[in-house]
Amino acid sequence: VCHSPLLTHVTHVTHASHARSFLPSPVTPTMASINCGTNCFAGFIRAYSLLIGLLVMVIGFIHLDNVLVNFCDDRFQDCVGPSLVWANSDNPVADVNGPFAGGLNLGQPRWRNVFTLRPDVFLDVWSPLMFGIIMVLCHFANFKVNFIAGSWARMAFFYLFGSLFAIFGYAGNLGIITGFLSVIYVWFALVISIINAVTGAEEMTDPTFSMKITKPGFIKSNSKGESGDSQC
């Protein structure tokens, strides 16, 4: 039997194509899977930053509870609750609730040792609570300020600043733990900032959830870099 060289070549090519069809094709990561990974990572860090904000708010309330002691001793004074002193009839307009009402002894705090606008006292008493509220409100587009939450780098700086001046040193051990958690967030935010600069992924530009409160009881999440109407 004579075999044509052309027929033999076609036969070999056919067998080779059938053999290749049974071989597993190499798996290459698609752009969709890469985007899913980066988006999920960014979403996790957003949730992590929101959790830190809630913890800082708790620290703020604990700190207020620590400084709001019983300013009035009903054994020696007329009191309006545990914190306000009622002036006696000799001088009903006496400054009995001022910071120096008990004399120059600062060991006897009064109402205005906490509720005051004196910068040195106000900032020390209210810093944790104010920072916690800002950290949480940054995730709502209605209250978001781009100067703080306009990019991952800005958020990293804000959390680092808050860790040093409003978290560490407050509420005992809880302040120390939350401070270190905030520092960890700073590193994550800087990593995402670098990834975003390299890839240019639009879904990763916003470091917050940018939730929009449209109606009472309805919250719409939007974390794709779109800014709210009230941003400044």
Side-chain angles (χ1 to χ4, degrees):
V1 180
C2 296
H3 295 281
S4 171
L6 179 60
L7 180 61
T8 304
H9 176 70
V10 171
T11 303
H12 283 299
V13 171
T14 304
H15 285 302
S17 62
H18 281 295
R20 284 195 299 269
S21 65
F22 289 101
L23 293 177
S25 58
V27 179
T28 57
T30 62
M31 185 59 65
S33 63
I34 295 176
N35 289 340
C36 178
T38 54
N39 293 343
C40 292
F41 178 62
F44 171 77
I45 301 305
R46 292 186 187 108
Y48 183 71
S49 67
L50 179 59
L51 175 62
I52 293 175
L54 294 174
L55 286 175
V56 177
M57 288 184 62
V58 172
I59 290 174
F61 285 116
I62 292 176
H63 180 61
L64 284 179
D65 183 69
N66 290 337
V67 298
L68 279 174
V69 297
N70 293 337
F71 300 146
C72 185
D73 190 347
D74 55 7
R75 296 174 300 175
F76 309 103
Q77 301 161 317
D78 295 329
C79 302
V80 181
S83 303
L84 287 171
V85 178
W86 184 265
N88 56 38
S89 57
D90 296 336
N91 187 4
V93 292
D95 192 14
V96 293
N97 293 295
F100 304 107
L104 296 179
N105 183 9
L106 297 181
Q108 299 178 358
R110 293 292 187 266
W111 180 267
R112 293 211 318 268
N113 285 98
V114 175
F115 297 97
T116 179
L117 294 179
R118 289 167 51 197
D120 55 336
V121 178
F122 179 83
L123 292 176
D124 181 68
V125 172
W126 297 97
S127 289
L129 184 58
M130 289 190 301
F131 266 82
I133 292 174
I134 294 173
M135 288 175 177
V136 173
L137 290 182
C138 279
H139 288 275
F140 293 87
N142 309 70
F143 307 100
K144 182 179 174 182
V145 178
N146 278 337
F147 176 75
I148 296 175
S151 67
W152 288 98
R154 294 180 184 180
M155 283 285 282
F157 176 78
F158 179 70
Y159 272 66
L160 179 61
F161 186 85
S163 300
L164 297 176
F165 296 99
I167 303 177
F168 282 124
Y170 292 91
N173 296 343
L174 181 60
I176 297 175
I177 295 173
T178 307
F180 281 116
L181 292 177
S182 182
V183 172
I184 293 174
Y185 168 79
V186 172
W187 288 105
F188 280 141
L190 292 177
V191 169
I192 295 182
S193 179
I194 296 174
I195 295 175
N196 186 34
V198 173
T199 62
E202 181 182 353
E203 295 80 1
M204 297 180 63
T205 56
D206 195 345
T208 68
F209 284 114
S210 292
M211 295 179 287
K212 294 183 179 180
I213 303 177
T214 55
K215 296 180 181 179
F218 292 90
I219 298 178
K220 181 180 180 181
S221 177
N222 175 26
S223 58
K224 293 186 178 182
E226 300 177 3
S227 58
D229 297 335
S230 63
Q231 295 180 7
C232 57

